[in-house]
């Protein structure tokens, strides 16, 4: 099976002002057809989202209003002023090192700038500061999958789902991983179905993958042990 090329990054949408846990990410689900017209799986998916706040909303300090600073940094990122946004998130992380949001956005910029080692370090820092940071875990899964470290990718996607069981992107990414890389079609099928449910409507390309797997598997095939994260 062939794979589509990853979509070029787009400017992230602006999340709410609860910046301590707010994360922005890039990318859309993409799909294409092989020469025979058979749908292929997309590159890993990351979506605009907002994670659970690390703690209560911040207040003004001697280093300024962190909420206003974070909003300004997000605007720079939205406007594709990448150097300025990178510097703003770097300074936020330096001034408020107890919060994971700035580390996540800084890591996204570093990933786009082809600085994977720095990006991984900051995604990991964000996840340590807030283990409920589903976006950081999903990104760590994306990077591990790109590095062909499939066990690490699976573990990271599952961490994302433990933190946020209704995180559609992580379900889709885990489905693709199980489908193409770890050869567990029953688990892939369950994650594709969960993605469809959470996405709020049938995505035609994912519907095609579901039908393809259903044709290969016995009726009513499920994989309870890995179908969804606990609490999903």
């Amino acid at each position: 099976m062939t794979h589509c090329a990853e979509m070029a990054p787009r400017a992230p949408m602006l999340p709410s002002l609860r910046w301590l846990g707010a994360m922005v990410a890039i990318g859309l689900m993409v799909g294409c057809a092989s020469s025979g017209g058979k749908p292929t799986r997309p590159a890993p998916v990351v979506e605009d989202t907002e994670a659970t706040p690390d703690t209560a909303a911040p207040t003004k300090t001697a280093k300024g209003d962190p909420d206003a600073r974070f909003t300004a940094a997000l605007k720079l990122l939205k406007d594709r002023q990448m150097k300025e946004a990178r510097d703003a998130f770097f300074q936020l992380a330096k001034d408020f090192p107890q919060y994971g949001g700035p580390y996540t956005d800084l890591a996204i910029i570093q990933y786009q700038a082809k600085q994977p080692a720095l990006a991984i370090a900051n995604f990991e820092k964000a996840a340590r500061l807030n283990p409920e940071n589903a976006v950081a875990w999903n990104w760590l899964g994306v990077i591990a999958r790109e590095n062909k470290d499939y066990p690490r990718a699976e573990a990271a996607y599952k961490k994302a789902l433990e933190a946020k069981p209704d995180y559609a992107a992580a379900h889709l990414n885990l489905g693709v991983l199980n489908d193409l890389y770890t050869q567990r079609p029953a688990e892939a099928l369950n994650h594709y179905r969960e993605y469809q449910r959470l996405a709020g409507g049938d995505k035609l390309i994912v519907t095609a993958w579901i039908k393809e797997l259903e044709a290969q598997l016995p009726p009513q095939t499920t994989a309870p042990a890995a179908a969804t994260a606990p609490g999903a």
Side-chain angles (χ1 to χ4, degrees), residues 139-163:
W139 270 99
L140 287 168
V142 167
I143 295 172
R145 203 285 302 165
E146 291 179 343
N147 290 333
K148 296 181 170 52
D149 190 343
Y150 305 134
R152 187 180 295 272
E154 181 175 24
Y157 291 145
K158 287 183 175 180
K159 283 283 190 181
L161 290 175
E162 288 174 10

Side-chain angles (χ1 to χ4, degrees), residues 2-212:
T2 58
H3 296 274
C4 301
E6 283 200 80
M7 178 175 286
R10 65 179 173 89
M13 297 174 63
L14 192 66
S16 76
L17 302 185
R18 299 175 70 187
W19 73 277
L20 298 182
M23 313 297 171
V24 288
I26 56 172
L28 289 172
M29 185 185 76
V30 292
C32 64
S34 65
S35 58
K38 184 177 182 181
T40 59
R41 308 306 189 255
V45 177
V46 285
E47 295 178 342
D48 301 310
T49 189
E50 179 179 324
T52 303
D54 294 329
T55 185
T59 57
K60 292 182 180 180
T61 71
K63 296 177 181 178
D65 182 344
D67 197 31
R69 287 177 57 185
F70 190 72
T71 300
L74 286 174
K75 186 177 187 306
L76 292 171
L77 188 57
K78 182 173 182 287
D79 293 342
R80 307 301 294 170
Q81 299 182 49
M82 305 308 288
K83 181 182 183 303
E84 293 80 1
R86 180 199 65 197
D87 293 345
F89 285 120
F90 178 86
Q91 194 60 46
L92 270 168
K94 181 178 179 181
D95 290 344
F96 302 95
Q98 67 270 45
Y99 303 129
Y103 287 101
T104 301
D105 290 298
L106 177 61
I108 291 169
I109 294 170
Q110 290 167 334
Y111 178 84
Q112 293 182 64
K114 302 188 185 306
Q115 298 175 310
L118 290 174
I120 290 170
N122 281 312
F123 282 131
E124 289 178 343
K125 176 75 170 180
R128 284 197 301 272
L129 287 168
N130 178 15
E132 301 302 305
N133 186 337
V135 176
W137 285 118
N138 188 54
W139 270 99
L140 287 168
V142 167
I143 295 172
R145 203 285 302 165
E146 291 179 343
N147 290 333
K148 296 181 170 52
D149 190 343
Y150 305 134
R152 187 180 295 272
E154 181 175 24
Y157 291 145
K158 287 183 175 180
K159 283 283 190 181
L161 290 175
E162 288 174 10
K164 187 177 180 183
D166 61 350
Y167 192 7
H171 276 291
L172 183 57
N173 286 342
L174 192 50
V176 172
L177 187 75
N178 291 156
D179 188 359
L180 295 187
Y181 300 102
T182 63
Q183 306 301 312
R184 297 203 295 268
E187 294 178 22
L189 180 59
N190 283 345
H191 284 292
Y192 287 155
R193 287 170 173 164
E194 187 67 5
Y195 172 79
Q196 289 286 63
R197 185 184 71 81
L198 294 167
D202 287 344
K203 304 297 182 183
L204 293 179
I205 189 71
V206 181
T207 298
W209 304 339
I210 289 172
K211 289 181 177 178
E212 179 184 338

